[in-house]
Amino acid sequence: MVPVLKERARRATAERRIPDETIAEMQEAGFFRVLQPKRWGGYEMHPNVFFEIQKLLAEGCMSTGWVYGVVGGHPYELALFHDQAQVDVWGDDDSILVSSSYQPVGKVERTDGGFYLSGRWGFSSGSEHCQWVLLGALIPPENEGDAPDMRTFLVPRADYAIEETWDVFGLQGTGSQDIVVDRAFVPDYRTHRAVDGFLCKNPGQAENDAPMFRLPWAQIFVRLVSTAALGGAKAGIKAAMDIAASRVSTNTGKASKTDPLLLNAVAKAYAQVDEMEVVLRRNMDEMIAHAENGEDVPMEKRTLYRYQSASVVRRCADLIDELMPLLGGRAIYMSSPVIQPWLDLHAARAHVANDPGNMSGDVVGSLSGQPPAFMFL
């Protein structure tokens, strides 16, 4: 699909959404079923399979890789919900897709059997292709002194509006529009508690009992929004090499393909992307091994893995940054093959999960046995 996605990338950017035929082709190929439970027609494959697919898609179009990561990862979280929530979404059609916005910005009112949810959430990638959405909100404590209860609310398409607000410099094709909800009723069973994801004790594990569903949900999620950067960086590196292959400076007469500064920057980028891939693949393998052995993932590993995932996008963006000034004037045209991956990488840096500074304290603290301050890991 990589050549096809390259051809469609400009259209995705212009229309600010992934083309319908791309989504249809990914569904036909079974990509959205990789992390879906077998009892709902999924494959329950090793998460590294999912991330390999995501990286490849992102080489063709980083927006497509991003949307696949987010939307394709939601079957995993839905598998952690109460079984009735899974029935609501997949009972009649197990190919239904779900988008999200986890910002805890919603207003929640308690009522019999559930909650009323209202608010506006931004950045719901791929939402126009989905029939349900996962939305973050804090439930106010019932007793003074208690902490708010962070949950994800599962809402059907009939109960929310999509507003087109996505006008950005990178990842334009993700169509990360706003979701607006006006006092929709959400039954309690259609909510997922953040603490359950942290403790790896989720109601859906009663039916979906494969080891992969015993992983910390946050460890899956943070990879969904960082892995596309590896494909984007590869696309940027290849684009730089393609430009350098025929570029001769009109000022100096020197060929870029023999420029030692450019050669060093390309080699550095190529090597460091490979290193990041190896580390992230190892991390997921280790977590799966713990789950298969019925063990908890040690907290010092969880904090480290979370930090390493958060570092990926910024490192990839920095690597392509080093290439840009070495490619001359040809690289700055919007028609240049390096421009879109470069812009996409910088847009991806804005996601809160891609800020390693949020995790540095917990990495160091976990080494001395301190409990984490940040529970989403």
Side-chain angles (χ1 to χ4, degrees):
M1 288 185 66
V2 173
V4 176
L5 294 177
K6 284 183 180 292
E7 292 174 4
R8 293 177 184 161
R10 279 191 170 274
R11 177 180 156 200
T13 297
E15 296 180 355
R16 292 183 291 175
R17 57 175 283 161
I18 302 303
D20 292 343
E21 55 265 42
T22 296
I23 298 295
E25 288 162 5
M26 289 196 289
Q27 285 187 308
E28 183 179 0
F31 292 166
F32 292 109
R33 297 185 183 274
V34 171
L35 299 181
Q36 191 165 344
K38 288 182 178 179
R39 57 194 289 265
W40 294 113
Y43 305 146
E44 290 185 10
M45 300 178 86
H46 193 300
N48 278 339
V49 175
F50 182 91
F51 296 123
E52 290 300 318
I53 294 170
Q54 185 181 12
K55 285 184 288 188
L56 284 166
L57 293 173
E59 282 192 55
C61 170
M62 190 168 157
S63 284
T64 300
W66 181 280
V67 168
Y68 174 65
V70 175
V71 174
H74 289 148
Y76 186 97
E77 187 183 16
L78 188 54
L80 307 180
F81 273 74
H82 187 284
D83 184 55
Q84 186 57 52
Q86 299 170 52
V87 172
D88 289 355
V89 176
W90 289 324
D92 294 327
D93 182 356
D94 58 22
S95 69
I96 290 293
L97 302 179
V98 182
S99 71
S100 68
S101 179
Y102 293 99
Q103 299 170 300
V105 297
K107 176 185 176 183
V108 180
E109 305 169 60
R110 296 178 184 273
T111 189
D112 291 343
F115 312 90
Y116 288 113
L117 181 68
S118 302
R120 174 187 289 270
W121 292 258
F123 307 100
S124 188
S125 301
S127 52
E128 292 163 310
H129 301 288
C130 300
Q131 295 303 310
W132 290 75
V133 68
L134 295 159
L135 299 172
L138 293 170
I139 300 174
E142 291 188 278
N143 303 310
E144 187 176 350
D146 290 347
D149 183 6
M150 173 64 186
R151 297 198 193 189
T152 300
F153 292 73
L154 177 64
V155 182
R157 184 67 182 82
D159 288 347
Y160 63 89
I162 299 175
E163 293 194 4
E164 295 187 13
T165 56
W166 192 239
D167 187 12
V168 291
F169 70 77
L171 292 177
Q172 300 96 322
T174 63
S176 303
Q177 311 292 2
D178 281 10
I179 302 295
V180 181
V181 178
D182 184 12
R183 208 164 184 265
F185 173 70
V186 183
D188 185 70
Y189 71 81
R190 273 206 246 127
T191 68
H192 179 218
R193 302 175 70 224
V195 68
D196 291 344
F198 175 74
L199 296 173
C200 307
K201 298 185 184 301
N202 305 277
Q205 291 171 249
E207 293 80 19
N208 305 310
D209 57 0
M212 63 179 283
F213 294 118
R214 296 199 291 270
L215 298 179
W217 157 237
Q219 294 289 339
I220 298 291
F221 174 80
V222 297
R223 289 289 309 281
L224 304 178
V225 296
S226 67
T227 300
L230 295 165
K234 289 180 180 180
I237 294 167
K238 184 179 185 305
M241 294 178 65
D242 289 344
I243 292 171
S246 60
R247 178 181 177 269
V248 177
S249 172
T250 55
N251 291 308
T252 66
K254 295 181 179 179
S256 290
K257 62 184 178 183
T258 61
D259 178 359
L261 295 177
L262 179 58
L263 295 178
N264 181 65
V266 170
K268 175 183 175 181
Y270 181 76
Q272 290 198 16
V273 167
D274 182 67
E275 291 165 11
M276 285 184 272
E277 287 189 283
V278 170
V279 168
L280 294 181
R281 192 178 299 119
R282 177 212 65 183
N283 292 354
M284 194 58 65
D285 281 336
E286 288 190 359
M287 286 192 287
I288 286 289
H290 282 295
E292 289 176 342
N293 291 331
E295 304 165 349
D296 293 333
V297 181
M299 195 56 63
E300 63 269 21
K301 288 191 174 183
R302 288 172 67 168
T303 57
L304 175 62
Y305 297 164
R306 174 75 169 77
Y307 181 89
Q308 289 170 323
S309 175
S311 303
V312 164
V313 176
R314 296 193 177 200
R315 290 182 64 189
C316 287
D318 289 345
L319 292 170
I320 305 305
D321 278 351
E322 290 188 39
L323 294 173
M324 291 297 290
L326 302 172
L327 297 172
R330 190 184 305 182
I332 70 172
Y333 285 88
M334 291 304 296
S335 58
S336 165
V338 76
I339 284 292
Q340 195 62 54
W342 180 56
L343 294 174
D344 291 341
L345 287 167
H346 280 280
R349 289 179 57 160
H351 197 291
V352 65
N354 292 327
D355 182 356
N358 290 332
M359 289 305 303
S360 55
D362 279 339
V363 173
V364 178
S366 69
L367 296 177
S368 57
Q370 298 177 27
F374 196 63
M375 194 170 63
F376 196 68
L377 55 80

